[in-house]
Amino acid sequence: MSAQTLSIAILSGKGGVGKTNITLNLALALRQAGSSVLVVDGDLGLANIDVLMGFTPGKTVWDVLQGKATLDQALHTDASGVSILPAASGTGTQASLDQASCQQFLRLVRPLAEKHDFLLLDLGAGLSDTVRLLARAATIQLVVTTPEPTALTDAYALIKVLHTSHKLSNFLVAVNNIFSENETALTRTRLVNACKKFLQLSPKMLGAVRHDELLKDAVARRTPLLKLHPESMAAQDITAIARKLRSLRKKMITEGTISPCLSLRARQTAAGTAAPAAKKAPASAQARTGTLARKK
């Protein structure tokens, strides 16, 4: 089934844009539509999927990596049928993995992921080595942002580095916490058009999620929005995004364009030969060279 598992790395340039909430509620919406879904918490040192889902993990991915638990022992299956591999939080040492550890992580998770229609890999914010390595292993890179200038600038920096240094190009964009359609249009102008102009890259706008006070209630009650308030505005928007992802998967299966699940592909040069291993992530100021902040 590996050729039918659509793996999606869910990323953000900065924290606080609602990436994990989007991930969990997307998983629920996909499951409600009949798809099997595995969510992997890839924020290995600052995990919070378990917090938002309202459960306390007995074992985590890190225990599996250390040989202290099996994958089945770490796997949590929600009452809705969504499968979740939680990570640890606050221990520090596992926040960053080198390439060998990333390969081990992917080898462990791949057989489980291949049993599902969708793999949602919720990665940490920013451009750590772990984020960049794991993002390369997914077929699609979904960038979550908000309309704020800082979030858009950091989203552009993220796309720029992953595209120019790792040759990734299958970017989707979801805009969270919008107050009006004008903000969606503004994001398209500032982010998508900037990518077209300066990177010769065309990320696709997947959808927008409206600002919804009911989301705060869901977070406070440690229950996903689609469970607690399924008719809310934000829940409806996330469900619409899930429909687009199901359609995209169907289209990619027909075309044969879904890459092998969780394969850490060597990044390619323009000539198509394998490039050297990625260097350390550039400093924030370097990553933003030529970013939206400087674009008129």
Side-chain angles (χ1 to χ4, degrees), residues 1 89-90 99 126 140 155 170 188 192 195-196 212 227 237 254 277:
M1 191 172 176
S89 181
Q99 183 156 335
I140 296 289
N170 290 333
R188 183 178 288 105
V192 177
C195 289
K196 290 179 181 179
D212 197 329
K227 284 188 176 183
D237 295 337
T254 301

Side-chain angles (χ1 to χ4, degrees), residues 165-232:
S165 297
H166 299 282
K167 308 307 175 188
L168 300 181
S169 58
N170 290 333
F171 292 99
L172 301 175
V173 176
V175 192
N176 192 28
N177 201 35
I178 67 162
F179 286 84
S180 70
E181 287 299 320
N182 288 340
E183 290 188 322
T184 305
L186 184 66
T187 300
R188 183 178 288 105
T189 299
R190 290 186 173 176
L191 179 58
V192 177
N193 288 356
C195 289
K196 290 179 181 179
K197 181 175 180 181
F198 297 98
L199 302 177
Q200 292 74 56
L201 178 70
S202 298
K204 292 182 174 60
M205 287 288 292
L206 187 61
V209 180
R210 288 168 285 182
H211 173 80
D212 197 329
E213 289 295 326
L214 291 174
L215 180 59
K216 294 180 182 178
D217 180 51
V219 171
R221 294 167 65 175
R222 297 183 63 187
T223 305
L225 184 68
L226 261 76
K227 284 188 176 183
L228 194 60
H229 302 293
E231 301 303 321
S232 63

Side-chain angles (χ1 to χ4, degrees), residues 130-150:
T130 302
V131 167
R132 295 192 294 160
L133 285 167
L134 294 181
R136 280 169 46 195
T139 301
I140 296 289
Q141 291 75 41
L142 171 56
V143 179
V144 178
T145 185
T146 62
E148 285 78 13
T150 53

Side-chain angles (χ1 to χ4, degrees), residues 22 42 70 96 104 108 112 124 135 152 157 161 199 201 203 209-210 213 232 237 240 244 257-258:
I22 294 289
T70 65
S96 182
Q104 180 190 5
L108 285 168
L112 177 61
L152 291 175
V161 169
L199 302 177
L201 178 70
V209 180
R210 288 168 285 182
E213 289 295 326
S232 63
D237 295 337
K244 291 181 180 179
T257 53
I258 294 182

Side-chain angles (χ1 to χ4, degrees), residues 10 18 20 34 71-72 97 128 137 141 145 148-149 163 177 186 190 193-194 204 233 292:
I10 303 181
T20 299
L71 208 58
D72 286 342
L97 299 179
S128 71
Q141 291 75 41
T145 185
E148 285 78 13
H163 177 61
N177 201 35
L186 184 66
R190 290 186 173 176
N193 288 356
K204 292 182 174 60
M233 293 186 300
L292 299 181

